[in-house]
Amino acid sequence: MNKKMRLLAVPTLALGALALSTGPAMAHGEDSWSSQATLNTMNNSGTTGQAMVEVHGMEAKVTVNVSGAAETFMDGPFPHAQHIHIAAQGVCPGPDADTDGDGVVNTTEGHPFYGHIGNSLTTEGDTSADSALAVDRFPGGSAYTYERTFELTPETAASLKDGSAVVVVHGVDPALMPAAAAEKMSDLDETLPAAATLPAACGTLAGSQMAAMPEGGADTGVEAAASNGNAAGIAVAGAGVLALGGAAMAFRRRANA
Ligand SMILES: [Cu+2]
C-alpha cells in the first residue's frame, strides 16, 4: 500500500462514524436527504467499503470508500466499474443467485436482486447506464476514495427514496475466482474477462437512521459457495491467468482508449 492509499484510508473511518451518528434521512428538508450503504464482499473478492449519497433535489454527492479490491491488471491499476443499481428487490444476491453453478454470482445473475443500472459512478463525463463499462473512467486499484456530484436520473432518485438502490463495485482478482469461472469472458461484454465485471462488493443504500441494520445473509452464503471452489482456484490460478492473456490485452486496449 503506498502513501497515498494510506492517507485515503482515513476518511473510511470518518465516514463510518458519520453513518452511525447522522440524524434522520430527511433532517435537512423534503428535498435534501442522505443514504448510506455498507459494501459487503461478494464472490470471495475480499473487497469491502462504504458508500454515501447526499441528495439535494436531483443532484447527488456520492462518496464511495473501497478497500481490499483487485489491485493490478496487466501493468495498470485494476479498473473498478461501480454503479447504483435500481428498481428491483434492493438487495444483494446470495449464493442461490449462481444459476449456472460456476461458483460465482455474475452481474446478470444479480440483476433480479439489485436491478439494472440507474447511474454509473464514473470519475468524469457521462454518468448514465451508457457508461456501464467505461473502464477508463472508473477508479482503480486496491483501495480508493471516490467522490463526485452529478444529476441523478429520476429512476435512481425514486429508488433511493424507496430503499431499492444498491451500490455494486465490480472487478475481482481472477486468482480469487474458481478456475473455470476465471477463464470465462464477461456476461456483459465478450471482449472483457469475467473477472473485469464480476461483482466484488455490494450494499443497499438506506436512509441514515437505518444504516446500522445488518444485511447478514446476503454475503455469508456467497463466501461459503466461493470458498468451495477456492482450493482448486488457487491450484490452477496461474493457468487461469495465462488463459486470460488474450482477453487481458483487449481489456487493456479498452482501458487506454
Ligand atoms: Cu454494476
Side-chain angles (χ1 to χ4, degrees), residues 81-111:
Q82 49 179 14
H83 317 110
I84 300 177
H85 288 252
I86 61 165
Q89 298 178 51
V91 299
C92 296
D96 290 350
D98 175 23
T99 50
D100 68 3
D102 65 355
V104 294
V105 175
N106 68 30
T107 300
T108 308
E109 289 170 335
H111 278 162

PDB file of all heavy atoms in Angstrom, residues 81-111:
ATOM      1  N   ALA A  81     -15.418  -0.811 -12.255  1.00  0.00           N
ATOM      2  CA  ALA A  81     -16.730  -0.280 -12.615  1.00  0.00           C
ATOM      3  C   ALA A  81     -17.585  -0.265 -11.355  1.00  0.00           C
ATOM      4  O   ALA A  81     -17.535  -1.206 -10.555  1.00  0.00           O
ATOM      5  CB  ALA A  81     -17.369  -1.144 -13.688  1.00  0.00           C
ATOM      6  N   GLN A  82     -18.328   0.816 -11.157  1.00  0.00           N
ATOM      7  CA  GLN A  82     -19.193   0.909  -9.976  1.00  0.00           C
ATOM      8  C   GLN A  82     -20.463   1.653 -10.373  1.00  0.00           C
ATOM      9  O   GLN A  82     -20.423   2.621 -11.123  1.00  0.00           O
ATOM     10  CB  GLN A  82     -18.459   1.601  -8.817  1.00  0.00           C
ATOM     11  CG  GLN A  82     -17.776   2.909  -9.205  1.00  0.00           C
ATOM     12  CD  GLN A  82     -17.074   3.597  -8.042  1.00  0.00           C
ATOM     13  OE1 GLN A  82     -16.850   3.024  -6.978  1.00  0.00           O
ATOM     14  NE2 GLN A  82     -16.741   4.870  -8.231  1.00  0.00           N
ATOM     15  N   HIS A  83     -21.567   1.138  -9.856  1.00  0.00           N
ATOM     16  CA  HIS A  83     -22.865   1.675 -10.264  1.00  0.00           C
ATOM     17  C   HIS A  83     -23.833   1.736  -9.093  1.00  0.00           C
ATOM     18  O   HIS A  83     -23.658   1.016  -8.110  1.00  0.00           O
ATOM     19  CB  HIS A  83     -23.516   0.786 -11.334  1.00  0.00           C
ATOM     20  CG  HIS A  83     -22.591   0.310 -12.404  1.00  0.00           C
ATOM     21  ND1 HIS A  83     -22.193  -0.999 -12.519  1.00  0.00           N
ATOM     22  CD2 HIS A  83     -21.960   0.992 -13.396  1.00  0.00           C
ATOM     23  CE1 HIS A  83     -21.365  -1.117 -13.546  1.00  0.00           C
ATOM     24  NE2 HIS A  83     -21.198   0.066 -14.092  1.00  0.00           N
ATOM     25  N   ILE A  84     -24.870   2.568  -9.272  1.00  0.00           N
ATOM     26  CA  ILE A  84     -26.061   2.461  -8.428  1.00  0.00           C
ATOM     27  C   ILE A  84     -27.076   1.654  -9.232  1.00  0.00           C
ATOM     28  O   ILE A  84     -27.529   2.087 -10.289  1.00  0.00           O
ATOM     29  CB  ILE A  84     -26.636   3.849  -8.078  1.00  0.00           C
ATOM     30  CG1 ILE A  84     -25.595   4.683  -7.318  1.00  0.00           C
ATOM     31  CG2 ILE A  84     -27.913   3.694  -7.241  1.00  0.00           C
ATOM     32  CD1 ILE A  84     -26.062   6.103  -7.010  1.00  0.00           C
ATOM     33  N   HIS A  85     -27.349   0.452  -8.757  1.00  0.00           N
ATOM     34  CA  HIS A  85     -28.350  -0.403  -9.401  1.00  0.00           C
ATOM     35  C   HIS A  85     -29.703  -0.128  -8.748  1.00  0.00           C
ATOM     36  O   HIS A  85     -29.776   0.179  -7.557  1.00  0.00           O
ATOM     37  CB  HIS A  85     -27.971  -1.877  -9.237  1.00  0.00           C
ATOM     38  CG  HIS A  85     -26.800  -2.296 -10.080  1.00  0.00           C
ATOM     39  ND1 HIS A  85     -26.941  -3.095 -11.189  1.00  0.00           N
ATOM     40  CD2 HIS A  85     -25.477  -2.018  -9.980  1.00  0.00           C
ATOM     41  CE1 HIS A  85     -25.743  -3.310 -11.743  1.00  0.00           C
ATOM     42  NE2 HIS A  85     -24.829  -2.674 -11.019  1.00  0.00           N
ATOM     43  N   ILE A  86     -30.763  -0.252  -9.541  1.00  0.00           N
ATOM     44  CA  ILE A  86     -32.070   0.224  -9.065  1.00  0.00           C
ATOM     45  C   ILE A  86     -33.232  -0.679  -9.499  1.00  0.00           C
ATOM     46  O   ILE A  86     -33.089  -1.537 -10.366  1.00  0.00           O
ATOM     47  CB  ILE A  86     -32.368   1.645  -9.600  1.00  0.00           C
ATOM     48  CG1 ILE A  86     -32.411   1.653 -11.137  1.00  0.00           C
ATOM     49  CG2 ILE A  86     -31.342   2.640  -9.091  1.00  0.00           C
ATOM     50  CD1 ILE A  86     -33.035   2.908 -11.719  1.00  0.00           C
ATOM     51  N   ALA A  87     -34.379  -0.389  -8.894  1.00  0.00           N
ATOM     52  CA  ALA A  87     -35.691  -0.828  -9.378  1.00  0.00           C
ATOM     53  C   ALA A  87     -35.902  -2.338  -9.374  1.00  0.00           C
ATOM     54  O   ALA A  87     -36.596  -2.883 -10.224  1.00  0.00           O
ATOM     55  CB  ALA A  87     -35.958  -0.275 -10.779  1.00  0.00           C
ATOM     56  N   ALA A  88     -35.290  -3.027  -8.406  1.00  0.00           N
ATOM     57  CA  ALA A  88     -35.587  -4.456  -8.235  1.00  0.00           C
ATOM     58  C   ALA A  88     -35.889  -4.687  -6.752  1.00  0.00           C
ATOM     59  O   ALA A  88     -36.620  -3.918  -6.146  1.00  0.00           O
ATOM     60  CB  ALA A  88     -34.444  -5.321  -8.739  1.00  0.00           C
ATOM     61  N   GLN A  89     -35.303  -5.725  -6.155  1.00  0.00           N
ATOM     62  CA  GLN A  89     -35.602  -6.009  -4.747  1.00  0.00           C
ATOM     63  C   GLN A  89     -34.798  -5.131  -3.783  1.00  0.00           C
ATOM     64  O   GLN A  89     -35.080  -5.117  -2.587  1.00  0.00           O
ATOM     65  CB  GLN A  89     -35.293  -7.479  -4.434  1.00  0.00           C
ATOM     66  CG  GLN A  89     -36.115  -8.484  -5.233  1.00  0.00           C
ATOM     67  CD  GLN A  89     -35.720  -9.914  -4.900  1.00  0.00           C
ATOM     68  OE1 GLN A  89     -35.668 -10.312  -3.743  1.00  0.00           O
ATOM     69  NE2 GLN A  89     -35.415 -10.695  -5.928  1.00  0.00           N
ATOM     70  N   GLY A  90     -33.768  -4.457  -4.306  1.00  0.00           N
ATOM     71  CA  GLY A  90     -32.955  -3.617  -3.436  1.00  0.00           C
ATOM     72  C   GLY A  90     -32.091  -4.393  -2.473  1.00  0.00           C
ATOM     73  O   GLY A  90     -31.789  -3.927  -1.376  1.00  0.00           O
ATOM     74  N   VAL A  91     -31.695  -5.588  -2.863  1.00  0.00           N
ATOM     75  CA  VAL A  91     -30.848  -6.417  -2.002  1.00  0.00           C
ATOM     76  C   VAL A  91     -29.659  -6.962  -2.796  1.00  0.00           C
ATOM     77  O   VAL A  91     -29.660  -6.962  -4.023  1.00  0.00           O
ATOM     78  CB  VAL A  91     -31.633  -7.605  -1.393  1.00  0.00           C
ATOM     79  CG1 VAL A  91     -32.776  -7.088  -0.527  1.00  0.00           C
ATOM     80  CG2 VAL A  91     -32.156  -8.524  -2.482  1.00  0.00           C
ATOM     81  N   CYS A  92     -28.670  -7.439  -2.060  1.00  0.00           N
ATOM     82  CA  CYS A  92     -27.515  -8.082  -2.687  1.00  0.00           C
ATOM     83  C   CYS A  92     -27.789  -9.591  -2.788  1.00  0.00           C
ATOM     84  O   CYS A  92     -28.360 -10.180  -1.872  1.00  0.00           O
ATOM     85  CB  CYS A  92     -26.265  -7.818  -1.856  1.00  0.00           C
ATOM     86  SG  CYS A  92     -25.841  -6.051  -1.804  1.00  0.00           S
ATOM     87  N   PRO A  93     -27.384 -10.214  -3.889  1.00  0.00           N
ATOM     88  CA  PRO A  93     -27.713 -11.625  -4.089  1.00  0.00           C
ATOM     89  C   PRO A  93     -26.919 -12.554  -3.180  1.00  0.00           C
ATOM     90  O   PRO A  93     -25.757 -12.304  -2.867  1.00  0.00           O
ATOM     91  CB  PRO A  93     -27.348 -11.860  -5.561  1.00  0.00           C
ATOM     92  CG  PRO A  93     -26.338 -10.810  -5.883  1.00  0.00           C
ATOM     93  CD  PRO A  93     -26.688  -9.619  -5.044  1.00  0.00           C
ATOM     94  N   GLY A  94     -27.552 -13.624  -2.783  1.00  0.00           N
ATOM     95  CA  GLY A  94     -26.883 -14.697  -2.057  1.00  0.00           C
ATOM     96  C   GLY A  94     -26.426 -15.771  -3.024  1.00  0.00           C
ATOM     97  O   GLY A  94     -26.553 -15.618  -4.249  1.00  0.00           O
ATOM     98  N   PRO A  95     -25.903 -16.884  -2.503  1.00  0.00           N
ATOM     99  CA  PRO A  95     -25.313 -17.930  -3.355  1.00  0.00           C
ATOM    100  C   PRO A  95     -26.314 -18.585  -4.305  1.00  0.00           C
ATOM    101  O   PRO A  95     -25.931 -19.059  -5.376  1.00  0.00           O
ATOM    102  CB  PRO A  95     -24.764 -18.942  -2.345  1.00  0.00           C
ATOM    103  CG  PRO A  95     -25.507 -18.667  -1.084  1.00  0.00           C
ATOM    104  CD  PRO A  95     -25.793 -17.191  -1.081  1.00  0.00           C
ATOM    105  N   ASP A  96     -27.594 -18.571  -3.936  1.00  0.00           N
ATOM    106  CA  ASP A  96     -28.599 -19.187  -4.808  1.00  0.00           C
ATOM    107  C   ASP A  96     -28.731 -18.452  -6.140  1.00  0.00           C
ATOM    108  O   ASP A  96     -29.312 -18.986  -7.092  1.00  0.00           O
ATOM    109  CB  ASP A  96     -29.967 -19.212  -4.116  1.00  0.00           C
ATOM    110  CG  ASP A  96     -30.008 -20.205  -2.961  1.00  0.00           C
ATOM    111  OD1 ASP A  96     -29.051 -20.992  -2.840  1.00  0.00           O
ATOM    112  OD2 ASP A  96     -30.974 -20.173  -2.184  1.00  0.00           O
ATOM    113  N   ALA A  97     -28.198 -17.245  -6.198  1.00  0.00           N
ATOM    114  CA  ALA A  97     -28.276 -16.483  -7.452  1.00  0.00           C
ATOM    115  C   ALA A  97     -27.348 -17.048  -8.524  1.00  0.00           C
ATOM    116  O   ALA A  97     -27.460 -16.683  -9.696  1.00  0.00           O
ATOM    117  CB  ALA A  97     -27.938 -15.015  -7.180  1.00  0.00           C
ATOM    118  N   ASP A  98     -26.433 -17.927  -8.128  1.00  0.00           N
ATOM    119  CA  ASP A  98     -25.486 -18.527  -9.085  1.00  0.00           C
ATOM    120  C   ASP A  98     -26.203 -19.608  -9.887  1.00  0.00           C
ATOM    121  O   ASP A  98     -25.993 -20.806  -9.695  1.00  0.00           O
ATOM    122  CB  ASP A  98     -24.288 -19.096  -8.320  1.00  0.00           C
ATOM    123  CG  ASP A  98     -23.323 -19.854  -9.230  1.00  0.00           C
ATOM    124  OD1 ASP A  98     -23.325 -19.591 -10.458  1.00  0.00           O
ATOM    125  OD2 ASP A  98     -22.569 -20.694  -8.699  1.00  0.00           O
ATOM    126  N   THR A  99     -27.030 -19.190 -10.815  1.00  0.00           N
ATOM    127  CA  THR A  99     -27.898 -20.135 -11.512  1.00  0.00           C
ATOM    128  C   THR A  99     -27.141 -21.063 -12.461  1.00  0.00           C
ATOM    129  O   THR A  99     -27.596 -22.162 -12.749  1.00  0.00           O
ATOM    130  CB  THR A  99     -29.007 -19.397 -12.294  1.00  0.00           C
ATOM    131  OG1 THR A  99     -28.407 -18.360 -13.077  1.00  0.00           O
ATOM    132  CG2 THR A  99     -30.017 -18.785 -11.330  1.00  0.00           C
ATOM    133  N   ASP A 100     -25.979 -20.633 -12.964  1.00  0.00           N
ATOM    134  CA  ASP A 100     -25.228 -21.517 -13.867  1.00  0.00           C
ATOM    135  C   ASP A 100     -24.220 -22.396 -13.121  1.00  0.00           C
ATOM    136  O   ASP A 100     -23.502 -23.190 -13.732  1.00  0.00           O
ATOM    137  CB  ASP A 100     -24.562 -20.725 -15.003  1.00  0.00           C
ATOM    138  CG  ASP A 100     -23.427 -19.819 -14.523  1.00  0.00           C
ATOM    139  OD1 ASP A 100     -23.106 -19.846 -13.306  1.00  0.00           O
ATOM    140  OD2 ASP A 100     -22.862 -19.079 -15.355  1.00  0.00           O
ATOM    141  N   GLY A 101     -24.171 -22.252 -11.787  1.00  0.00           N
ATOM    142  CA  GLY A 101     -23.375 -23.157 -10.968  1.00  0.00           C
ATOM    143  C   GLY A 101     -21.877 -23.097 -11.173  1.00  0.00           C
ATOM    144  O   GLY A 101     -21.168 -24.068 -10.890  1.00  0.00           O
ATOM    145  N   ASP A 102     -21.356 -21.937 -11.591  1.00  0.00           N
ATOM    146  CA  ASP A 102     -19.898 -21.845 -11.798  1.00  0.00           C
ATOM    147  C   ASP A 102     -19.165 -21.319 -10.565  1.00  0.00           C
ATOM    148  O   ASP A 102     -17.965 -21.061 -10.612  1.00  0.00           O
ATOM    149  CB  ASP A 102     -19.585 -20.984 -13.030  1.00  0.00           C
ATOM    150  CG  ASP A 102     -20.010 -19.525 -12.859  1.00  0.00           C
ATOM    151  OD1 ASP A 102     -20.642 -19.197 -11.815  1.00  0.00           O
ATOM    152  OD2 ASP A 102     -19.715 -18.712 -13.753  1.00  0.00           O
ATOM    153  N   GLY A 103     -19.883 -21.170  -9.454  1.00  0.00           N
ATOM    154  CA  GLY A 103     -19.229 -20.790  -8.201  1.00  0.00           C
ATOM    155  C   GLY A 103     -19.142 -19.300  -7.967  1.00  0.00           C
ATOM    156  O   GLY A 103     -18.647 -18.867  -6.922  1.00  0.00           O
ATOM    157  N   VAL A 104     -19.611 -18.505  -8.911  1.00  0.00           N
ATOM    158  CA  VAL A 104     -19.645 -17.053  -8.716  1.00  0.00           C
ATOM    159  C   VAL A 104     -21.026 -16.536  -9.143  1.00  0.00           C
ATOM    160  O   VAL A 104     -21.713 -17.166  -9.946  1.00  0.00           O
ATOM    161  CB  VAL A 104     -18.546 -16.310  -9.517  1.00  0.00           C
ATOM    162  CG1 VAL A 104     -17.165 -16.687  -8.999  1.00  0.00           C
ATOM    163  CG2 VAL A 104     -18.667 -16.588 -11.020  1.00  0.00           C
ATOM    164  N   VAL A 105     -21.383 -15.388  -8.563  1.00  0.00           N
ATOM    165  CA  VAL A 105     -22.621 -14.711  -8.961  1.00  0.00           C
ATOM    166  C   VAL A 105     -22.225 -13.570  -9.875  1.00  0.00           C
ATOM    167  O   VAL A 105     -21.662 -12.565  -9.422  1.00  0.00           O
ATOM    168  CB  VAL A 105     -23.384 -14.185  -7.733  1.00  0.00           C
ATOM    169  CG1 VAL A 105     -24.613 -13.383  -8.169  1.00  0.00           C
ATOM    170  CG2 VAL A 105     -23.796 -15.342  -6.829  1.00  0.00           C
ATOM    171  N   ASN A 106     -22.449 -13.755 -11.175  1.00  0.00           N
ATOM    172  CA  ASN A 106     -22.042 -12.694 -12.097  1.00  0.00           C
ATOM    173  C   ASN A 106     -23.079 -11.574 -12.104  1.00  0.00           C
ATOM    174  O   ASN A 106     -24.116 -11.647 -11.442  1.00  0.00           O
ATOM    175  CB  ASN A 106     -21.741 -13.251 -13.493  1.00  0.00           C
ATOM    176  CG  ASN A 106     -22.971 -13.777 -14.214  1.00  0.00           C
ATOM    177  OD1 ASN A 106     -24.086 -13.292 -14.002  1.00  0.00           O
ATOM    178  ND2 ASN A 106     -22.778 -14.762 -15.071  1.00  0.00           N
ATOM    179  N   THR A 107     -22.782 -10.513 -12.844  1.00  0.00           N
ATOM    180  CA  THR A 107     -23.622  -9.321 -12.797  1.00  0.00           C
ATOM    181  C   THR A 107     -25.052  -9.623 -13.220  1.00  0.00           C
ATOM    182  O   THR A 107     -26.016  -9.183 -12.584  1.00  0.00           O
ATOM    183  CB  THR A 107     -23.022  -8.228 -13.698  1.00  0.00           C
ATOM    184  OG1 THR A 107     -21.712  -7.922 -13.213  1.00  0.00           O
ATOM    185  CG2 THR A 107     -23.872  -6.970 -13.661  1.00  0.00           C
ATOM    186  N   THR A 108     -25.192 -10.392 -14.288  1.00  0.00           N
ATOM    187  CA  THR A 108     -26.529 -10.706 -14.794  1.00  0.00           C
ATOM    188  C   THR A 108     -27.318 -11.549 -13.802  1.00  0.00           C
ATOM    189  O   THR A 108     -28.516 -11.333 -13.599  1.00  0.00           O
ATOM    190  CB  THR A 108     -26.421 -11.451 -16.138  1.00  0.00           C
ATOM    191  OG1 THR A 108     -25.575 -10.691 -17.013  1.00  0.00           O
ATOM    192  CG2 THR A 108     -27.774 -11.622 -16.782  1.00  0.00           C
ATOM    193  N   GLU A 109     -26.647 -12.496 -13.168  1.00  0.00           N
ATOM    194  CA  GLU A 109     -27.324 -13.325 -12.167  1.00  0.00           C
ATOM    195  C   GLU A 109     -27.809 -12.491 -10.977  1.00  0.00           C
ATOM    196  O   GLU A 109     -28.751 -12.865 -10.281  1.00  0.00           O
ATOM    197  CB  GLU A 109     -26.388 -14.442 -11.689  1.00  0.00           C
ATOM    198  CG  GLU A 109     -26.151 -15.516 -12.760  1.00  0.00           C
ATOM    199  CD  GLU A 109     -25.040 -16.507 -12.398  1.00  0.00           C
ATOM    200  OE1 GLU A 109     -24.132 -16.142 -11.603  1.00  0.00           O
ATOM    201  OE2 GLU A 109     -25.069 -17.620 -12.925  1.00  0.00           O
ATOM    202  N   GLY A 110     -27.152 -11.356 -10.753  1.00  0.00           N
ATOM    203  CA  GLY A 110     -27.546 -10.485  -9.648  1.00  0.00           C
ATOM    204  C   GLY A 110     -28.690  -9.536  -9.980  1.00  0.00           C
ATOM    205  O   GLY A 110     -29.311  -8.960  -9.086  1.00  0.00           O
ATOM    206  N   HIS A 111     -28.971  -9.372 -11.255  1.00  0.00           N
ATOM    207  CA  HIS A 111     -29.984  -8.388 -11.665  1.00  0.00           C
ATOM    208  C   HIS A 111     -31.351  -8.558 -11.003  1.00  0.00           C
ATOM    209  O   HIS A 111     -31.967  -7.554 -10.629  1.00  0.00           O
ATOM    210  CB  HIS A 111     -30.125  -8.388 -13.198  1.00  0.00           C
ATOM    211  CG  HIS A 111     -29.077  -7.562 -13.881  1.00  0.00           C
ATOM    212  ND1 HIS A 111     -28.774  -7.682 -15.223  1.00  0.00           N
ATOM    213  CD2 HIS A 111     -28.237  -6.603 -13.406  1.00  0.00           C
ATOM    214  CE1 HIS A 111     -27.813  -6.831 -15.537  1.00  0.00           C
ATOM    215  NE2 HIS A 111     -27.458  -6.179 -14.457  1.00  0.00           N
TER     216      HIS A 111
END
